Amino acid sequence: MDNLNDFQRAARKVKEVTLPTPLIESPAFGRSTGNHVYLKPENMQRTGAYKVRGAYYKISTLTDDERERGLITASAGNHAQGVARAAEQYGVRAVVVMPETTPPIKISRTEALGAEVVLHGSVFDEAFAYAQQLASDEGLTMVHPFDDLDVATGQGSVAMEIFDELPEVDVILVPIGGGGLASGVATAAKLVNPEVCVIGVEPAGAACMKASLDAGEVVCLSHASTIADGTAVLEPGHKVFPYIQKYLDDIIVIPDEELIPAFLDMVENHKMVVENSGLLTVAALSHLPAEGKNVVAILSGGNMDVITMSNVVQLGLIARGRIFTVSIMLPDRPGGLVQVSRIVAEHSGNVIRLNHNQFATVNRNAAVELRVTIEAFDVRHKESIVAALKEAGLNVREVEASL
């Protein structure tokens, strides 16, 4: 994988099954970060993620016998669809072992491509161990989701396309799970231009690559806990790890809390749905120094189920102060609700829910509770509305908001 010709060959090969994903310049992120920001929208890729690149290139390198025996892999979802799509292209059997926690949309889309889905374990590593057992029992050919140099070479085609469009790129941000995409992108990028800076981005709840780099050897975490399910890996790949050590410049670790507003930013600024793992690089933009650099953030995938999407939107609105709930204790007499509504309206707030509870206290004749959920522009606007309610002499406290 140290040969640029391999990446050029892979870039040509994957075009047989991939869609063009041209860079999208983001003035909004540029203004907020002080850099020239471009997005590589692999969330718009066929199967909704970059994974089809590595899967297809790997399968193209197999012998006819290896393909005819049938393929097997383990995946949290995106690689599953990549293998299923590639297997469909070659007309061979594909078995995919997925964690039981995999979002339903990824399961259904994998099955729709003709793959046989087996659910096993709660995390990727448990699913992979079972896939290895099935491969041995049934003589299937393993297509590893990240710890395979051919797979990583296929993923490196992302970097080749970035340079084709933006030769003067300064920084590439790439999500890290097991290291397949990061190793391929970092290696290809450094072979094209050793001066480019390639930074990996991991979720704080599954930062196995950072732990491994700090230790100087592959480390297995005891557990993983992150909403970025596509990167919830306990142990990075042993084969790709040396390439990460050699070519990756740095790693940024992102807490889940930063992925939530990043989702809102993508929807509002670019009208795109990006899954939590793909949002790692978006969240990392604010961690870079503002130096006017050309920065490319790879959006690795967009396969998010509607329920998760709804939860993320709700949490994001709450986190940004755009939705909040207050509890107001009012004397039980006419006019109290009118007073509250008038104050909120005068300060351009929008009431979206009211709950009038006469049984919040033992003596309901003395006071009743009014819970009001309000829409605001931002945190400062929210604070001005709450302050106005308090200045009117009302007994106000902020409580947990919900839509």
Side-chain angles (χ1 to χ4, degrees), residues 54-246:
Y56 186 74
Y57 183 66
K58 170 63 179 180
I59 294 169
S60 76
T61 67
L62 298 175
T63 65
D64 290 342
D65 177 65
E66 288 172 323
R67 285 194 290 263
E68 290 302 322
R69 292 206 309 264
L71 311 173
I72 188 167
T73 193
S75 170
N78 289 337
H79 180 68
Q81 293 176 66
V83 170
R85 176 71 180 86
E88 181 185 51
Q89 188 80 359
Y90 278 96
V92 297
R93 179 191 180 199
V95 178
V96 180
V97 183
M98 307 176 83
E100 295 168 357
T101 54
T102 301
I105 188 173
K106 294 185 178 182
I107 297 172
S108 62
R109 286 181 175 176
T110 302
E111 291 177 328
L113 290 168
E116 303 165 28
V117 173
V118 178
L119 299 179
H120 184 88
S122 58
V123 295
F124 163 78
D125 301 78
E126 294 173 0
F128 180 69
Y130 190 62
Q132 286 181 305
Q133 179 183 327
L134 290 178
S136 176
D137 292 345
E138 300 184 28
L140 301 170
T141 300
M142 174 64 70
V143 181
H144 200 288
F146 53 84
D147 199 20
D148 182 290
L149 299 187
D150 289 327
V151 169
T153 300
Q155 318 299 27
S157 61
V158 173
M160 303 301 290
E161 292 177 7
I162 290 172
F163 279 103
D164 285 344
E165 282 194 80
L166 189 67
E168 61 275 20
V169 59
D170 298 305
V171 180
I172 298 175
L173 295 170
V174 55
I176 295 184
L181 176 63
S183 61
V185 166
T187 304
K190 294 293 187 177
L191 291 175
V192 173
N193 177 11
E195 300 303 314
V196 70
C197 178
V198 184
I199 300 175
V201 192
E202 274 190 305
C208 62
M209 189 64 78
K210 187 174 190 313
S212 297
L213 289 174
D214 289 345
E217 61 183 4
V218 172
V219 169
C220 182
L221 303 179
S222 60
H223 68 282
S225 178
T226 175
I227 62 173
D229 59 282
T231 47
V233 177
L234 296 178
E235 183 178 13
H238 288 256
K239 295 176 182 177
V240 300
F241 183 64
Y243 294 89
I244 295 288
Q245 285 181 303
K246 183 176 181 180

Side-chain angles (χ1 to χ4, degrees), residues 320-322 324 375-384:
R320 291 197 163 175
R322 292 169 58 178
F324 66 100
E375 181 182 10
F377 304 137
D378 51 30
V379 172
R380 290 178 63 184
H381 186 211
K382 177 190 82 169
E383 291 173 347
S384 72

Side-chain angles (χ1 to χ4, degrees), residues 241-390:
F241 183 64
Y243 294 89
I244 295 288
Q245 285 181 303
K246 183 176 181 180
Y247 293 115
L248 197 70
D249 292 288
D250 197 6
I251 287 185
I252 296 173
V253 175
I254 299 294
D256 282 358
E257 292 75 18
E258 293 187 29
L259 299 177
I260 293 168
F263 180 85
L264 288 184
D265 286 336
M266 287 305 307
V267 170
E268 293 187 329
N269 294 327
H270 292 285
K271 309 300 182 284
M272 285 197 296
V273 172
V274 181
E275 64 186 84
N276 291 319
S277 295
L279 292 169
L280 288 166
T281 57
V282 177
L285 289 168
S286 62
H287 293 260
L288 299 177
E291 298 177 329
K293 300 287 189 181
N294 291 323
V295 179
V296 174
I298 298 174
L299 311 179
S300 56
N303 293 315
M304 179 181 282
D305 67 276
V306 175
I307 293 176
T308 300
M309 197 183 308
S310 173
N311 289 338
V312 171
V313 168
Q314 177 175 308
L315 290 171
L317 292 173
I318 292 170
R320 291 197 163 175
R322 292 169 58 178
I323 298 292
F324 66 100
T325 301
V326 292
S327 169
I328 306 173
M329 300 304 296
L330 295 170
D332 190 17
R333 59 173 181 263
L337 177 57
V338 172
Q339 180 189 18
V340 171
S341 299
R342 176 178 54 78
I343 293 170
V344 173
E346 287 175 350
H347 288 79
S348 302
N350 182 37
V351 175
I352 58 178
R353 178 182 291 174
L354 283 171
N355 182 31
H356 187 251
N357 183 7
Q358 291 184 311
F359 302 99
T361 63
V362 174
N363 184 2
R364 68 187 181 95
N365 293 319
V368 296
E369 181 190 37
L370 181 67
R371 289 205 172 199
V372 190
T373 300
I374 303 169
E375 181 182 10
F377 304 137
D378 51 30
V379 172
R380 290 178 63 184
H381 186 211
K382 177 190 82 169
E383 291 173 347
S384 72
I385 295 171
V386 173
L389 292 168
K390 290 181 177 179

